[in-house]
Amino acid sequence: MGRVRAFRTRYPMLPHHQKSLGRDWTAPWENLQRCCWNRHISSCMRWPGHYSRAPYPYFSSRHFSLNWRPPCLFESRTQFQYWNWRPDNLSQTSLIHLSSYIMNSEGDEPSSKRRKHQGTIKRDWEYICNHNKEKTKILGDKNDDPICEDSENKFDFSVMSYNILSQDLLEDNSHLYKHCQRPVLHWSFRFPNILKEIKHYDADVLCLQEVQEDHYGTEIRPSLESLGYHCEYKMRTGRKPDGCAICFKHSKFSLLSVNPVEFYRRDVPLLDRDNVGLVLLLQPKIPSAAFPAICVANTHLLYNPRRGDIKLTQLAMLLAEISSVAHQKDGSFCPIVMCGDFNSVPGSPLYSFIKEGKLNYEGLAIGKVSGQEQSSRGQRILSIPIWPPNLGISQNCVYEVQQVPKVEKTDSDLTQTQLDKTEVLVTAEKLSSKLQHHFSLSSVYSHYFPDTGIPEVTTCHSRSAITVDYIFYSAEKEGVAGQPGAEVALVGGLKLLARLSLLTEQDLWTVNGLPNENNSSDHLPLLAKFRLEL
C-alpha cells in the first residue's frame, strides 16, 4: 500500500493560500498533479483516524463527484482500472481532501497515533437559535449570546453528561491506555483535571457515569457540594464499585423524587448484569411562574457488543421508570432529559429506537443492536419477545398493571371460551416484535460534521474512537399524528439553545488521544443549554 503524507512544510511547492478543512490540507487539483505523481491515494479512501466503518471515502464531496478517474495523478493507469471514476466531473479548481496521517499499510495505525503530543484542543459553543431543526443556525466560534425567541415565562438551564472513567476500570483495562504516559493515569492527577472541567463549564445539572464509590464519598461529592451541587448516587449492584450520579445546583432546582433503577433481576436469567440507572424529578426554582417539573435520567448500559438483547431490555427498564416518574395527573409527560453512556453508535437499532420511538426487531441479529462492531460474532437472532412477561414491562416500555377482573362471587369461574380468548390475547402480546415508547426524543448532537461528513467522537482510546455518549431531550416534533405515542402529550417541550462542540478522532490524536495531560477521562464531556417555556 502506498504512503500518503501530509503536504505541509516538507512540500514547499504547495501554495501558501491553500485552505484548511478540519485539521487537514486541501490543495488545488493542478498542484496535486505535480505533488502526487507516483503516489497512491488508495489509503486516503478512509477518514483519518482509521475509522474503518465510515460509509464514505475520505474525499470532500462538496467539490467533486466520486465517479471520476484522475488520469494525470498516476504514472500508470492500469493499477486503478477497477475504480469506476470519470474525469468529466473534475474541474481544474477542484479540491481534494488529503489525510495528514502516514499509512504504511491497511492495518497500520496512523503515525500521529504513535507520537506523544502535548497541548489542548479548543471546543467552541455552537449556538442554535431556532427550535426548528431545518432552520437551525450555528454561530460556531462566536461568543455572542444566542439571539433566540424571548419570553417572560422561560427557564434556562444547562446539562453536562460525562463518563469520568473509574480508576478501578482504568487499571483493569490497562491495555486500552498503552498510548498514555503513566503519570496522567493516576487518580491524583486525573481528579483535579476533571474537577477543573466541571468548574469551568459550570453546568446546572451533572450526569456522571463510572463514578467510583470510594472516590465519590471522599472526594467527588464533597468537592461538588462545595460548588453548590446536591448529589444523588446509585452504585452498581455487582462487584464493580462504580455507578451513576446526578448532581444539580441548589440555586436552580429543588428535588421532588429520587428513583434508582437496577438492571439486575434475580428472577430474570437474561438480566444478570449489574448496570444501573438513576432518575430524578426536579422542580425549577422560578417564583413567578408555575413551571412543570423536569425529569432527568442517567445511565450506563452494558458494554458487551454481542448482547444487544440485554442492552434493549435495560433501555426498556429505564424508559419504563422515566414514564412512571415523568407522568403527570393530566396524562401528559413533563420535559425529559436522558443522558448517559449507551454503548451504542449513531444509526444503530438501539439509537434509532430512542429517537424514533419504535423498533421492529424481527430477524435482527443480537450483535447488531448497538452497532459497536461488525464482526461475524454474536449473530444469534433476537428472540420474540426479548424479555419474559414476569419482568412486568410491556412492549411499549411502561410498567404493566395487573388487571384483575371484577366479578361477583357466584361468577368467579371463567368459562372455557373466556379462558381461550384470554390465552389468545396473551400469546399475541408475547409474540410481538415491535417495541415502542411514548417520548419524542431528540439528540443534542448531530454526530457528523456538516462540512465534511466526518464522524464526531465522544470516546477515544487505544482500541477505538466512536460516539457512545448522548444527551437526549424531549422536544415537540412536527407531523407526529398517527405515529406511536402521538396520543401522549408533552408539557411545553425543551428548546436546545447551544451545545459544546465535539471533536474528530484526528483532533484527539493530535493530543495523544484520551486520557491526556489536560483531558483526564477516555470520554469527552457533553454539554447542552436548554430553555423551558410555558
Side-chain angles (χ1 to χ4, degrees):
M1 191 69 67
R3 295 167 59 86
V4 178
R5 299 182 181 271
F7 295 100
R8 302 195 185 211
T9 56
R10 70 182 73 174
Y11 291 103
M13 71 285 292
L14 283 183
H16 294 290
H17 64 271
Q18 57 190 357
K19 298 179 181 179
S20 176
L21 188 61
R23 291 182 179 270
D24 297 321
W25 294 107
T26 57
W29 166 251
E30 60 270 16
N31 292 314
L32 288 176
Q33 292 180 340
R34 298 194 301 266
C35 301
C36 294
W37 196 268
N38 269 341
R39 293 188 179 275
H40 299 177
I41 64 169
S42 56
S43 59
C44 276
M45 297 302 290
R46 290 143 59 240
W47 73 283
H50 202 59
Y51 194 86
S52 59
R53 295 187 299 278
Y56 39 74
Y58 190 51
F59 289 92
S60 178
S61 59
R62 298 177 303 163
H63 303 300
F64 56 87
S65 168
L66 292 179
N67 295 320
W68 55 265
R69 179 178 178 179
C72 301
L73 246 165
F74 308 102
E75 192 171 29
S76 174
R77 300 183 185 182
T78 56
Q79 55 190 331
F80 290 98
Q81 286 180 351
Y82 56 90
W83 288 19
N84 185 24
W85 287 357
R86 301 269 192 271
D88 308 332
N89 297 321
L90 183 62
S91 68
Q92 291 295 311
T93 58
S94 294
L95 300 178
I96 185 171
H97 198 171
L98 298 177
S99 168
S100 61
Y101 289 126
I102 302 173
M103 308 289 279
N104 290 325
S105 67
E106 187 71 18
D108 276 357
E109 294 179 340
S111 60
S112 53
K113 187 171 178 177
R114 299 190 295 269
R115 303 189 191 113
K116 302 300 180 184
H117 296 270
Q118 295 181 353
T120 60
I121 297 179
K122 183 180 178 182
R123 297 177 63 188
D124 298 309
W125 278 102
E126 298 173 343
Y127 291 102
I128 301 171
C129 296
N130 194 306
H131 191 47
N132 188 325
K133 192 171 183 180
E134 293 182 357
K135 298 180 181 178
T136 296
K137 180 181 179 183
I138 299 178
L139 302 182
D141 296 342
K142 295 186 179 180
N143 294 320
D144 302 340
D145 291 333
I147 306 172
C148 300
E149 301 174 9
D150 201 4
S151 172
E152 293 180 358
N153 298 322
K154 66 178 185 294
F155 176 75
D156 293 356
F157 66 101
S158 55
V159 177
M160 173 188 281
S161 182
Y162 196 4
N163 183 326
I164 64 174
L165 181 57
S166 160
Q167 190 66 23
D168 279 6
L169 293 178
L170 183 156
E171 294 170 4
D172 290 345
N173 298 276
S174 58
H175 61 284
L176 299 178
Y177 312 106
K178 292 180 179 179
H179 62 285
C180 300
Q181 300 176 5
R182 291 301 304 172
V184 306
L185 297 179
H186 296 159
W187 179 248
S188 59
F189 179 89
R190 294 176 54 232
F191 178 62
N193 268 358
I194 293 171
L195 189 60
K196 181 181 177 181
E197 282 186 292
I198 292 175
K199 286 181 179 179
H200 174 72
Y201 292 121
D202 195 31
D204 299 315
V205 179
L206 305 175
C207 292
L208 307 178
Q209 305 90 40
E210 291 194 23
V211 180
Q212 194 163 304
E213 183 191 24
D214 55 346
H215 293 156
Y216 174 76
T218 60
E219 297 177 80
I220 298 174
R221 180 174 180 174
S223 298
L224 294 180
E225 287 179 343
S226 70
L227 297 177
Y229 289 97
H230 173 91
C231 302
E232 294 292 339
Y233 178 69
K234 174 58 182 175
M235 192 179 76
R236 284 211 262 178
T237 53
R239 298 179 180 178
K240 302 285 180 64
D242 69 278
C244 295
I246 299 179
C247 313
F248 61 90
K249 287 189 174 180
H250 291 286
S251 59
K252 297 284 286 189
F253 299 96
S254 58
L255 181 63
L256 297 182
S257 68
V258 181
N259 308 273
V261 184
E262 296 182 356
F263 297 143
Y264 173 80
R265 287 283 298 267
R266 185 176 301 177
D267 58 333
V268 180
L270 173 68
L271 297 173
D272 59 353
R273 309 304 167 97
D274 56 11
N275 306 84
V276 295
L278 185 60
V279 183
L280 301 190
L281 192 62
L282 304 178
Q283 181 64 51
K285 288 187 175 180
I286 301 292
S288 60
F291 277 88
I294 299 174
C295 179
V296 180
N298 184 24
T299 192
H300 189 178
L301 300 185
L302 176 70
Y303 165 76
N304 192 336
R306 298 174 297 281
R307 292 309 305 266
D309 51 346
I310 299 179
K311 290 175 189 276
L312 281 173
T313 306
Q314 290 180 347
L315 177 60
M317 296 173 72
L318 181 68
L319 292 172
E321 186 65 27
I322 292 173
S323 179
S324 175
V325 172
H327 191 266
Q328 301 189 120
K329 294 180 180 180
D330 62 357
S332 65
F333 288 114
C334 69
I336 297 163
V337 178
M338 185 171 70
C339 303
D341 181 344
F342 290 82
N343 275 313
S344 301
V345 303
S348 65
L350 187 144
Y351 172 89
S352 298
F353 173 52
I354 294 175
K355 286 196 65 178
E356 297 173 9
K358 57 184 178 180
L359 174 67
N360 187 348
Y361 60 86
E362 183 176 4
L364 179 61
I366 194 172
K368 300 293 186 181
V369 169
S370 65
Q372 290 164 280
E373 59 181 32
Q374 294 186 344
S375 67
S376 58
R377 298 177 298 174
Q379 295 306 299
R380 179 166 58 88
I381 302 301
L382 287 169
S383 61
I384 302 176
I386 299 175
W387 56 82
N390 65 322
L391 180 59
I393 295 177
S394 73
Q395 299 295 291
N396 291 328
C397 298
V398 296
Y399 292 123
E400 290 181 319
V401 178
Q402 298 294 333
Q403 296 181 350
V404 179
K406 295 181 180 180
V407 293
E408 299 294 333
K409 290 183 180 181
T410 55
D411 299 326
S412 57
D413 295 329
L414 294 174
T415 65
Q416 185 61 41
T417 303
Q418 290 174 317
L419 288 174
D420 293 342
K421 188 177 296 184
T422 301
E423 184 177 354
V424 170
L425 293 174
V426 171
T427 303
E429 168 70 13
K430 284 184 178 181
L431 295 180
S432 173
S433 63
K434 297 180 180 180
L435 298 181
Q436 296 180 4
H437 68 75
H438 297 303
F439 310 123
S440 180
L441 297 176
S442 296
S443 174
V444 164
Y445 291 92
S446 57
H447 315 308
Y448 295 88
F449 288 90
D451 290 341
T452 62
I454 296 176
E456 300 170 334
V457 300
T458 66
T459 180
C460 178
H461 50 66
S462 294
R463 292 291 180 88
S464 69
I466 56 176
T467 286
V468 294
D469 307 278
Y470 303 93
I471 300 177
F472 296 103
Y473 66 100
S474 57
E476 293 183 357
K477 296 180 180 179
E478 298 179 359
V480 297
Q483 295 182 4
E487 71 280 0
V488 181
L490 284 172
V491 174
L494 297 174
K495 281 189 176 182
L496 176 62
L497 299 181
R499 63 193 177 202
L500 186 65
S501 63
L502 287 172
L503 303 170
T504 67
E505 181 182 0
Q506 180 191 3
D507 292 332
L508 290 172
W509 282 119
T510 63
V511 290
N512 201 42
L514 296 173
N516 56 56
E517 61 180 12
N518 293 295
N519 309 97
S520 287
S521 174
D522 58 350
H523 292 249
L524 293 172
L526 279 59
L527 197 61
K529 296 180 181 179
F530 296 104
R531 173 169 293 172
L532 174 61
E533 295 181 335
L534 286 180

